[in-house]
Amino acid sequence: MQILSPLLFLCLVILTPVYGKDPALPSVTLTDVKTVYETGSHSAFTDMTWFKGKIYLAFRSCPDGHMVHPTSTIIILASTNGEDWERVYRFGIKGRDTRDPHFVVFGNDLFVYTGTWYCGELRPKERNMNQMLGFGVKTSDGNKWSLPFELKGTYGHYVWRGATANEYVYLCARRRRGFKEIPSLQNHDELVESRLLRSRDGVSFQDIGHFQLEYGDETSFQFTENGSIQAVSRQGGNRNAQLISLTKPYNDPKVIDLGRYIGGPLLFYFDEHILVAGRNIRDGKAYTNVSVLQNNNLYDLVDLPSSGDCSYPGMVVLCPGCILVSWYSSHLKSQDGRSKTAIFSAKINIR
C-alpha cells in the first residue's frame, strides 16, 4: 500500500477545487491498447492488483446484460506481463447477481470481494438494498481458490473497494439509512449512506464510520501515514463526486465538491502523482478518463477509448513511469451494429 505523506494530505484538505486544465501537467502517452476479454456477454467492472509476482484482473461477466441477473459470474485472470492472460478462477452466487469485484491483499492471501443483489428464483421487480450481501473468495498462491463465503456483518450492505492498514481490512459499503423499507426507488438515492467497515480476518466486518450520510455511493480510498483516510466518492443521483478526508474515529468527514460527476472512481497514487480515474460526462456523453489531483483540483490527463456503458478502472504499476490500466466499455460494435461491452487494458506512460 502506498502511503500519502501527512504534509501532502494537509495540502489536499485546505484548498478549494477548480475544474480546468493546467499546462504544467505531467506528460502522458497512452500505448498498447488491447481488448482483454470480449465474448458477447456483458463484461464490466474491473479491478487489478499484483500478488506474488503476477498481475490479477477481475471483472463481472453476464450473458443477460448490465442489470441484476443471477446468471452473472466473476472472472479472475492472471498475467506475468500484463499482455498474456489466463483464466484462473470463475465463481457465481446462486440466486444472486454478483458484480463489482475488488481485490485486497491481506497477510499472505489475496481476497476478492463482491457485492451481490438478491434475485431468488424469480427476479424481483424492485431491487432491495436491504437484501444485499457481501461475498468473498481468497487464495494463498493464485492457483487454488476457496469457495465463495459470506462476509459476516454485511447483510443489507453493498460492499465495494477496500484497503488495508494496521492489520485490518477496510471496505466501503453503502446501505439504506436505518435499513428503511420503501415502496419504490423514487426517493432511494438520498437515503443511502456510504459506510466504512473493518475486519481483522477479512471475513467478519464491523461498521466503524462513514464517508457519506446521504447520496452515498462508490468510494475509493487510501490511508495516510498517520491513519487518516483520503477518498474520492461518487454521489447518487448523478451529483458531483466528492473528495473526502477522514481522521479517527472516521465519523466526521471533510468534504470538497470535485466539480464533476465520476462513476466507478479509482484513487491511485503513482510516484508523486495522485490519479483519479472513472466515468466522466462531456457534452452529455459518457467516457472513461484519467485525471491528476493537484491541490484539490482535477486536471484531465488522458481519455481512454470508451463510450456509453463504461468505466470502473483498475491500475497497477507496471514499470518505472508506466501504469497498466484496465476498464470496460461498450464502444465496440458487432457486425449488426450492436454495442459489445468488453474488457480493455492499456499502458499509461507518465513523465
Side-chain angles (χ1 to χ4, degrees), residues 219-233:
T219 297
S220 180
F221 62 101
Q222 298 284 355
F223 283 85
T224 70
E225 290 177 341
N226 63 4
S228 299
I229 293 175
Q230 187 73 29
V232 171
S233 294

Side-chain angles (χ1 to χ4, degrees), residues 23-40:
L25 297 178
S27 174
V28 174
T29 57
L30 187 71
T31 62
D32 299 278
V33 177
K34 299 180 182 297
T35 303
V36 175
Y37 190 89
E38 193 282 305
T39 63

Side-chain angles (χ1 to χ4, degrees), residues 34 36 55 77-87 324 345:
K34 299 180 182 297
V36 175
I55 304 169
L77 308 181
S79 174
T80 57
N81 56 13
E83 297 182 5
D84 304 307
W85 297 93
E86 63 172 342
R87 194 175 81 184
L324 182 68
S345 72

Side-chain angles (χ1 to χ4, degrees), residues 51-52 56 106-111 137-146:
F51 180 69
K52 296 188 176 180
Y56 288 84
F106 183 54
N108 293 318
D109 295 325
L110 174 62
F111 287 77
V137 297
K138 68 176 182 177
T139 180
S140 59
D141 59 10
N143 298 312
K144 185 178 180 181
W145 292 78
S146 73

